[in-house]
Amino acid sequence: MMPDVVFYTAEVMVNGLMAGVLYALVALGFVLIFKASGIFNYAQGVLALFAAMTLVGIQNGQVPFAHLVNAVFGTKVHHFGWTVPSLAAIALTALVMVGLAIAVERLVLRHLVNQEPIILFMATIGLAYFLEGLGDVMWGAEVKRLDVGLPQGMSGLIDEVTFNWFGYGFFIDRLDIAATAVAVALVVTLTLFSQYSKQGRALRAVADDHQAALSVGISLRFIWVLTWSIAGFVALVAGIMWGQKSGVQFSLSLIALKALPVLMLGGFTSIPGAIVGGLIIGMGEKLFEFFVGPMIGGATENWFAYVLALIFLVFRPQGLFGEKIIERV
Amino acid sequence: MRDTTAEGYVTADGRRIGGVLMEMRNITLRFGGVKAITDISFDIREGEIRAIIGPNGAGKSSMLNVISGFYVPQEGEVWFRGQRRPPMKPYQVARMGIARTFQNIALFEGMSVLDNVMTGRLTHVRSGILDQAIWWGRAEREEDEHRAKVERIIDFLEIQHIRKTPVARLPYGLKKRVELARALAAEPRLLLLDEPMAGMNVEEKEDMCRFILDVNDEFGTTICLIEHDMGVVMDLSDRVVVMDYGKKIGDGPPDEVRRSKAVIDAYLGVSHD
Ligand SMILES: Nc1ncnc2c1ncn2[C@@H]1O[C@H](COP(=O)(O)OP(=O)(O)OP(=O)(O)O)[C@@H](O)[C@H]1O
Ligand SMILES: [Mg+2]
C-alpha cells in the first residue's frame, strides 16, 4: 500500500496543472501580441475582464450604457427582456472583441507606428484603464455571475475510479477538466492556424521581421487587427473560465499578474514557453503551498510564482525555450 | 544600333526590350534638412536590366525605397504600366507585382529556407481562413501548386541542399540567394535588387551574375539593380542611371556612361562646388 502522501501530492499536482492551464492561456495572449508587434500589452488582463462582462451582459439581455442612456434621455431601460443562449452570446462577444481590435488599431496603434516600445507600453496602460471604465459604464460595476453551462463541482467519476484503483479518491473539479479541454483545443487550433493558413504564415512573418513582411505584401495593420482579435478571443476564453469559477468582478483583471511570472519563465516570444511555463507555475505554486505553506503560515500563492520566476530568470534570462543571446561586439 | 523610342529597342545580344514599365518623374526626397534625392527622372523598360550606380550616400537605396513604397517622396510622380501611381504602402506595391531585396538582407531568420521562399507566394494565395475551413481540398490543391512553383525556384537558384535549414544558420552569400529566391517566388513584373553582390567572394559574385541574367532571360523579368562594382554593372546592365549627392549625373548604356566626364569625376572624388 502506497502512503497517503503520494496520493495527496499527485492530487495537488493535478490540480496545479489545471490552474496552470489558465495561467498559460493568459500568458498566451501576451505572447501573441508581443510577437506580432513588440508590444507588451498591459491591458491583457482587463481584456479578459471586459470580455467576460460583455458576455454576461449579452447573455442577460442587458442594455449597454443603460445608466448613461437613462441619465441623458430620462428613460428607465435596463434590460431588453430577452436572454441569449450561451453559444450565441459567446459568438457575439467574440465579434465585439474583433470590433475592439479594429478600434485599437484605428485609434491607437496606427498613430504610434515606429515609436519606442516604452511609449507603446504606456499606451496599453492607458488602454487598460480606459477599458476598465468602459466596461463599467457599458455593463455596470457590480459583481456578476457567469454561467455558460460548463460542468462544475467535484467529478464523481474520477473520485470513484481513483478510489477503486488506489483506495484514495481524487478530488478534481469538473470545471478544471473542462477548462483544460478547452485550452488544449484552443492551442491546437491556434497552432494549426499559424502553421497552415495564409494569415497564420503572414503572422509568423510579421513576428519575425517587419520590413521583410512588408516586402512580400503583408499589411501590418491587418496583422495587428488579427493579433488583437485573437488575443481578445483568448482573453474571452480565460475570462469565461475564471469568471465561472469566481464571478465576474474587477479582480478578474488581476489574472494578468499571474501571467507575468509565466512569461518570465517561458519567455515573451515563445508559445510553447507560455504553455509549459504556465503548467510549471501552476503546479509549483500548489505544491509549495501544500508542503511548505503550513510551516511558514500559508498564503504563499501570492508570491511563490514570482520568486520561482526570479530565481529562474537569474539563471536563464532568455526563458525556457529562448536561445541564449550573445551580444555581438 | 539602339532605338530608344516608345516601342523599345533591341540589345547587342539580340534581346528585345519593350516599352516603359516604370517611370520616375522629378522625384525629390528629403529627410528633414537632408536631400537624399533631388529632382530625378528616369524610366525602366519592359524586359530590361537597369542599373543604378553611384558613390556611397548618393541616394541609390533611397530611390529603390521610393519605387517600392518604403519612402514617400515629397515631390514627383511615379508611373507604373502607364498609370500614375497614388502614394502606396509597401505591401500594396508588392501586390502590384514589384518584389525586392534589401541592402542589408531582410529575411525571416527564424524560418527555414523553404518557408522563407513560400512567404514570397503570399500575394498569390487566394484561399483565406474560411476557404481553408470549408474547402479543405481546394486550399490544399492551391498549396501544392505554390509548393511546386517554389521548388522550381529553389532548383533554379541551386539551393536545394539547404531547403530545410533555418536561415539564421546560413552564411551571408547564401542568405542573399535565399532573399532573391523569395523575391522571385512572387513572380514579379519588376524585380528590385539592392546590391545583390555586396560582401560576396568572387565565385559567389559570378554565380549571382549568372542567376540575374538567367532570371531576366528565362522569365523575362524586368530588373532594376544597385551595384558598386563597375565591372559587374558593365556586364549585366542594358542601361545605367548614375547618381551622386542625390542628383542624376548620367543615364545611358554602360559604355557611354563610363566615358562621361561627370561620372568619372564623381567616382574619382573630384570636389563639388
Ligand atoms: N531613413 C532615413 N532617415 C534619414 N536619412 C536617410 C534615411 N535613408 C537615407 N538617408 C540619407 O539619405 C542619403 C542617401 O542614402 P542612401 O542610403 O539612399 O544612399 P546609397 O546611395 O544607397 O548609399 P550606399 O552606397 O552607402 O548604400 C544619405 O545621406 C542618408 O544618410
Ligand atoms: Mg544603399
Side-chain angles (χ1 to χ4, degrees):
Chain A
M1 199 70 239
M2 269 187 270
D4 273 358
V5 67
V6 174
F7 294 122
Y8 292 150
T9 311
E11 187 181 344
V12 169
M13 276 173 75
V14 171
N15 277 310
L17 277 180
M18 307 244 169
V21 165
L22 273 181
Y23 300 163
L25 216 51
V26 183
L28 196 62
F30 278 104
V31 169
L32 284 170
I33 290 186
F34 189 80
K35 265 177 91 97
S37 51
I39 298 176
F40 179 81
N41 179 25
Y42 183 83
Q44 190 64 35
V46 183
L47 224 47
L49 173 65
F50 182 81
M53 285 174 107
T54 306
L55 176 61
V56 174
I58 291 177
Q59 259 187 319
N60 298 343
Q62 239 179 293
V63 178
F65 301 107
H67 280 289
L68 194 64
V69 169
N70 294 343
V72 174
F73 300 104
T75 48
K76 275 197 165 54
V77 291
H78 285 289
H79 287 271
F80 290 116
W82 66 59
T83 57
V84 179
S86 297
L87 270 184
I90 291 175
L92 284 173
T93 310
L95 280 184
V96 171
M97 297 314 278
V98 172
L100 188 66
I102 295 173
V104 167
E105 194 278 324
R106 283 276 152 81
L107 303 175
V108 184
L109 298 180
R110 180 174 293 193
H111 307 284
L112 296 177
V113 181
N114 293 334
Q115 295 292 333
E116 298 284 325
I118 186 75
I119 305 274
L120 290 159
F121 174 62
M122 292 297 166
T124 66
I125 295 184
L127 184 68
Y129 288 99
F130 171 77
L131 270 183
E132 199 189 310
L134 182 70
D136 285 352
V137 174
M138 262 177 103
W139 308 112
E142 71 282 357
V143 180
K144 302 176 184 64
R145 219 177 68 79
L146 187 152
D147 187 2
V148 291
L150 287 172
Q152 228 166 340
M154 184 178 102
S155 164
L157 183 69
I158 289 183
D159 185 42
E160 204 181 299
V161 169
T162 49
F163 185 80
N164 289 340
W165 284 0
F166 310 117
Y168 175 85
F170 271 52
F171 178 92
I172 291 173
D173 193 332
R174 283 186 299 163
L175 181 59
D176 284 336
I177 300 175
T180 307
V182 170
V184 169
L186 188 67
V187 168
V188 170
T189 313
L190 278 178
T191 310
L192 288 177
F193 168 77
S194 104
Q195 291 298 321
Y196 297 109
S197 76
K198 172 187 181 179
Q199 286 80 6
R201 234 180 231 143
L203 204 97
R204 280 192 294 146
V206 170
D208 199 311
D209 190 310
H210 282 192
Q211 210 182 27
L214 282 170
S215 81
V216 295
I218 298 169
S219 154
L220 287 185
R221 286 180 181 174
F222 173 76
I223 292 298
W224 287 339
V225 170
L226 185 66
T227 39
W228 279 75
S229 300
I230 297 175
F233 187 69
V234 172
L236 169 62
V237 174
I240 291 174
M241 305 307 172
W242 214 278
Q244 177 129 11
K245 216 176 201 169
S246 15
V248 177
Q249 54 189 313
F250 173 73
S251 66
L252 198 153
S253 70
L254 300 181
I255 53 175
L257 296 181
K258 285 289 183 188
L260 284 183
V262 174
L263 293 171
M264 287 156 78
L265 208 65
F268 280 82
T269 54
S270 166
I271 290 176
I275 294 163
V276 177
L279 298 181
I280 292 179
I281 295 273
M283 205 163 64
E285 178 177 278
K286 290 280 189 305
L287 282 177
F288 190 81
E289 172 72 23
F290 182 71
F291 286 111
V292 187
M295 298 177 221
I296 54 177
T300 60
E301 285 185 45
N302 287 331
W303 52 264
F304 174 75
Y306 280 92
V307 174
L308 182 65
L310 202 58
I311 292 171
F312 188 82
L313 206 57
V314 171
F315 290 102
R316 245 192 106 75
Q318 69 273 33
L320 276 174
F321 297 103
E323 277 184 36
K324 197 168 167 70
I325 300 157
I326 299 165
E327 190 80 39
R328 267 178 214 231
V329 284
Chain B
M1 227 11 256
R2 250 167 227 282
D3 168 25
T4 44
T5 60
E7 281 71 48
Y9 59 94
V10 177
T11 62
D13 54 343
R15 281 159 45 246
R16 182 165 296 284
I17 302 299
V20 172
L21 176 66
M22 175 129 236
E23 192 184 353
M24 314 301 286
R25 291 190 188 165
N26 309 98
I27 301 289
T28 295
L29 174 73
R30 278 181 292 264
F31 293 106
V34 183
K35 258 190 179 178
I37 302 175
T38 310
D39 193 30
I40 290 192
S41 304
F42 68 96
D43 63 16
I44 304 169
R45 284 165 178 273
E46 204 97 48
E48 190 175 43
I49 300 184
R50 188 74 147 122
I52 303 177
I53 64 170
N56 286 111
K60 308 179 295 294
S61 294
S62 299
M63 184 54 91
L64 221 61
N65 285 334
V66 168
I67 300 178
S68 57
F70 279 82
Y71 291 166
V72 182
Q74 278 78 16
E75 285 160 48
E77 300 174 358
V78 180
W79 288 66
F80 187 59
R81 300 173 70 184
Q83 280 184 329
R84 181 168 176 190
R85 195 178 83 182
M88 273 187 182
K89 298 270 167 208
Y91 76 90
Q92 293 169 311
V93 174
R95 290 174 188 181
M96 290 182 84
I98 298 180
R100 68 166 295 173
T101 64
F102 295 85
Q103 184 166 351
N104 26 17
I105 306 186
L107 282 170
F108 305 115
E109 296 277 330
M111 297 186 200
S112 69
V113 168
L114 184 62
D115 280 350
N116 263 277
V117 183
M118 276 301 273
T119 60
R121 296 295 305 164
L122 277 172
T123 48
H124 294 275
V125 179
R126 289 178 307 274
S127 333
I129 306 177
L130 281 179
D131 300 279
Q132 271 161 325
I134 303 167
W135 310 105
W136 189 256
R138 199 179 71 187
E140 210 165 51
R141 222 171 314 126
E142 203 199 328
E143 172 88 7
D144 289 344
E145 281 166 33
H146 292 304
R147 184 64 74 99
K149 286 211 163 106
V150 162
E151 294 292 356
R152 219 174 311 143
I153 287 162
I154 285 179
D155 283 349
F156 183 82
L157 293 181
E158 297 162 18
I159 45 178
Q160 308 90 330
H161 59 294
I162 49 164
R163 289 166 71 251
K164 300 276 178 185
T165 313
V167 159
R169 292 217 202 108
L170 295 178
Y172 188 81
L174 277 179
K175 280 190 184 176
K176 282 256 176 201
R177 214 187 281 184
V178 174
E179 210 191 12
L180 175 62
R182 185 182 65 197
L184 281 181
E187 298 178 281
R189 289 186 67 104
L190 175 60
L191 176 62
L192 308 171
L193 307 174
D194 196 343
E195 305 204 12
M197 279 156 263
M200 288 185 168
N201 61 36
V202 177
E203 197 186 329
E204 287 173 327
K205 272 191 189 181
E206 277 169 6
D207 282 343
M208 189 53 100
C209 268
R210 180 164 54 85
F211 290 135
I212 292 172
L213 287 171
D214 285 353
V215 166
N216 175 256
D217 204 38
E218 283 190 31
F219 308 133
T221 311
T222 309
I223 298 172
C224 177
L225 62 91
I226 295 175
E227 186 47 57
H228 269 298
D229 189 327
M230 262 301 205
V232 169
V233 171
M234 297 298 142
D235 290 346
L236 280 182
S237 53
D238 298 309
R239 287 191 300 154
V240 184
V241 176
V242 192
M243 292 178 69
D244 189 24
Y245 287 95
K247 298 204 178 73
K248 185 168 101 168
I249 58 166
D251 187 354
D255 43 347
E256 201 175 284
V257 159
R258 185 163 49 174
R259 275 183 270 114
S260 130
K261 182 167 181 326
V263 174
I264 294 169
D265 287 352
Y267 268 84
L268 293 181
V270 172
S271 72
H272 296 252
D273 26 33

